[in-house]
Amino acid sequence: MKGWSGNLLRIDLTRRKYVVQGIDPNILASYVGGRGLAIKILWEELEPGTDSLSPKNKLVLAVGPVTAYPGPNTGKLVIASKSPLTGGYGDGNIGSWASVHMRRANLDAIVIEGKAEKPIYLYIENDKVQFMDASDIWGLDTFEAEDRLRKIYGNNAGYLLIGQAGENLVKFATVIAQKGRSGGRPGMGAVMGSKMIKAIVIKGTRPLPPAADPALSKIGVDAIVATKSKPGYPFWLRQGTTATVEWAQEASVLPTYNYTEGQFDDFSKIGGFMVEKSKVLTRSCPNCVMPCGHVVKDLEAQLSELDYENIAMLGSNIGMDSLDKAAYLNRLADMFGMDTISLGGTLSWAMEATEKGLLKGDNGLEWGDVKAAARAVAEIANRSSELGQLLAEGSRIAAQRIGHDSWKFSMSVKGLEVSAYDCHAAPGMALAFGTSPIGASHKDSWVISWEVQTGRDSYSPEKAAKVIELQRIRGGWFESMVGCRFPWVEVGLELDWYSKLFKAATGTDLNLITLADRIYTLIRAFWIREYGGWSKEYDYPPRKWFEQPLSKGPLRGAKLRLDAYDSMLKEYYRQRGWDENGVPTISTLKSLGLEFTIPTLSKYVKLS
Ligand code: PTT
Ligand code: SF4
């Protein structure tokens, strides 16, 4: 098949063996790559109920048929596994040279299984794998470990690393690349740590897989030109995602004090214009024409690469009133290898618990106290204190442990902390968080800007439809053909370019709706299997948004309505072809070619 390599590299750490296997072309046609391929592999290969941190779990790296080809922003890869944070499906989409090298190694996917006896790193060159002793880099942060490995393998290779957080199985540990890219929010770094892998170094030296149409390069270059000619492009280069701080303040959705408010008094000190003023350089993923990694100097005068989510979660949401403070905590998260969104959401939960007298003494954390927050970050990464141990589990489990009503202000869905958008007055975005396939992530459906423009009060069927439409494009399409979605979402590159790129790469047309719905429904089946059943309450956003209204700002008094949310959720299920508890119906499973899930699902739920 053109556009793909058709190869999967399987690495068994326990036996220190590896093999390159062919991938069934029908699987590639039906699941495409990235997330699609990952969920198919995890469904087929994991035993139901596998412990996420056991050798039986598998880590999947997957690229897609657009990755690394000429085109706007094609240097990304999906990293997926069963999540130790949520117990369900988890993935992330990371920018790294590892994606380009995977394509040059002619690999569509790498599946890592088992567990090494002692710390190792993997050196993959084309279809050869070396299991390397990592004892001298185990315990190092991701920056230093990358520097050491680069001295050996040079700049012509891709690097994926974990820090101390991954080694110590912090539930929201991520995989880090190029000192500022972080992938796999739901604990993919902990899965790597559980397998005793400190790093994966990939070098591919072959030509990219041939495309079906030699015109691919021209289409790719034309799409780049089209991206650069968009009116929003120059401003994007100045501020990237960080401009969202001012937008979120204006719209009253900037997470503030653990999502208690939607506006922050000091927003201008952490906003896009402050980033623009403070910026010392800009970094990017490979093959990118819209570099968005804005690097500033932090409180310790060290370099820290920022995006909107980092600033909001480690700024306004925990009461940090200056950019250098948020940047400092962000750099620590990158070095230790932790997700800034879950870290910010877990710290803010602890700060609210302190305010309510539920955490005290050494375990207490005050809003805006950057030194105490930095100490807590280190203690979480190293699990070196009672507080660190508690918070390393994420806010959902921490809340279960300290009890009282603290679960109500764990700002998470299915255990994954909410990304940086307050939803007191955004029911559509609340639905997007509630139904995201990895927990409360914005990556699948960032419906909030549309919602702010078109009406925030409504819980209409159109809103459910819009959530699904965006999930199909963002979570289905971009995650399976594997490229960065920012050209489309941020500067308005027409989606048609991606159809053309896909067609030129593979020679086939893509049915976006069927592909995306197949992937979503299989992911839902995976959650049902791993949870041993399903309840619609798993798809509810955090309780605080229903019970505690905004107390300040133009939307004072706003909160979500439970009955209306429930109706909108039911409508969402209906449009997806799932029953009223969120379980896919038999006819939906059959129409999407997922009948193979029926015998398994029938053990856990009554299928209709
Ligand atoms: C993504 C999530 C995001 S989404 C942000 S900021 W964002 C946070 N960044 C972190 C970070 O940095 N350091 C850290 N230690 N933890 C972090 N956690 C958070 O992780 C990211 C960009 C961004 S920046 C976004 S929106 C877009 N996401 C895409 C996506 O999901 N799919 C896709 N096809 N294209 C995308 N393009 C954009 O990529 P996760 P990255 Mg990321 C400092 O990985 O797990 O998806 O988490 O990968 O290379 O850093 O790119 O305002
Ligand atoms: Fe990476 Fe940002 Fe470029 Fe996307 S726009 S490829 S996230 S640097």
Side-chain angles (χ1 to χ4, degrees), residues 484-496:
C484 174
R485 63 170 185 257
F486 277 167
W488 164 68
V489 80
E490 297 290 354
V491 299
L493 183 72
E494 295 75 13
L495 282 178
D496 197 36

Side-chain angles (χ1 to χ4, degrees), residues 68 80 95 101 108 125-126 140 158 223 225 234 247 269-271 278 288 307 338 402 425 467 483 527 532 560 569 585:
H101 282 278
D108 293 327
E125 186 167 331
N126 297 325
L140 297 183
V225 172
W247 174 83
K269 297 185 188 161
I270 59 169
S278 317
C288 175
D307 292 294
M338 275 187 271
I402 72 159
V467 169
W527 279 92
L560 294 179
L569 181 61
T585 63

Side-chain angles (χ1 to χ4, degrees), residues 291-426:
C292 73
H294 295 291
V295 181
V296 301
K297 287 210 171 149
D298 66 23
L299 209 55
E300 294 192 325
Q302 301 294 312
L303 298 182
S304 176
E305 184 176 328
L306 292 171
D307 292 294
Y308 164 69
E309 305 286 332
N310 316 129
I311 296 176
M313 296 309 295
L314 297 171
S316 53
N317 198 43
I318 54 172
M320 296 298 159
D321 59 3
S322 70
L323 192 64
D324 56 357
K325 291 180 187 167
Y328 173 42
L329 299 174
N330 173 70
R331 174 173 56 85
L332 294 182
D334 285 347
M335 293 175 82
F336 287 127
M338 275 187 271
D339 173 40
T340 50
I341 299 175
S342 281
L343 177 64
T346 303
L347 290 174
S348 65
W349 171 86
M351 288 173 180
E352 185 164 348
T354 305
E355 190 176 67
K356 291 186 155 71
L358 301 174
L359 287 177
K360 294 190 177 111
D362 286 348
N363 290 338
L365 276 180
E366 304 292 337
W367 301 112
D369 182 343
V370 71
K371 280 199 182 137
R375 199 173 52 242
V377 173
E379 288 172 5
I380 293 169
N382 294 304
R383 289 186 178 266
S384 56
S385 68
E386 195 186 336
L387 181 69
Q389 282 286 10
L390 180 74
L391 302 186
E393 300 298 309
S395 65
R396 175 175 66 166
I397 300 292
Q400 282 168 11
R401 292 206 178 145
I402 72 159
H404 303 276
D405 267 359
S406 67
W407 65 274
K408 289 189 177 177
F409 57 89
S410 157
M411 302 307 287
S412 59
V413 177
K414 303 180 182 72
L416 183 70
E417 281 69 21
V418 173
S419 314
Y421 303 94
D422 185 85
C423 290
H424 278 94

Side-chain angles (χ1 to χ4, degrees), residues 179-195:
K179 301 185 179 177
R181 297 274 141 198
S182 162
R185 288 194 54 212
M188 303 305 100
V191 175
M192 217 164 126
S194 73
K195 299 190 172 305

Side-chain angles (χ1 to χ4, degrees), residues 72-76 95 181 236 283-293 305 307 483-487:
N73 308 10
T74 60
K76 293 213 147 213
R181 297 274 141 198
W236 169 265
R283 293 190 193 133
S284 77
C285 311
N287 292 7
C288 175
V289 294
M290 301 170 52
C292 73
E305 184 176 328
D307 292 294
C484 174
R485 63 170 185 257
F486 277 167

Side-chain angles (χ1 to χ4, degrees), residues 54-70:
S54 75
K56 288 189 170 168
N57 197 7
K58 303 195 181 193
L59 189 69
V60 181
L61 310 184
V63 288
V66 164
T67 315
Y69 278 147

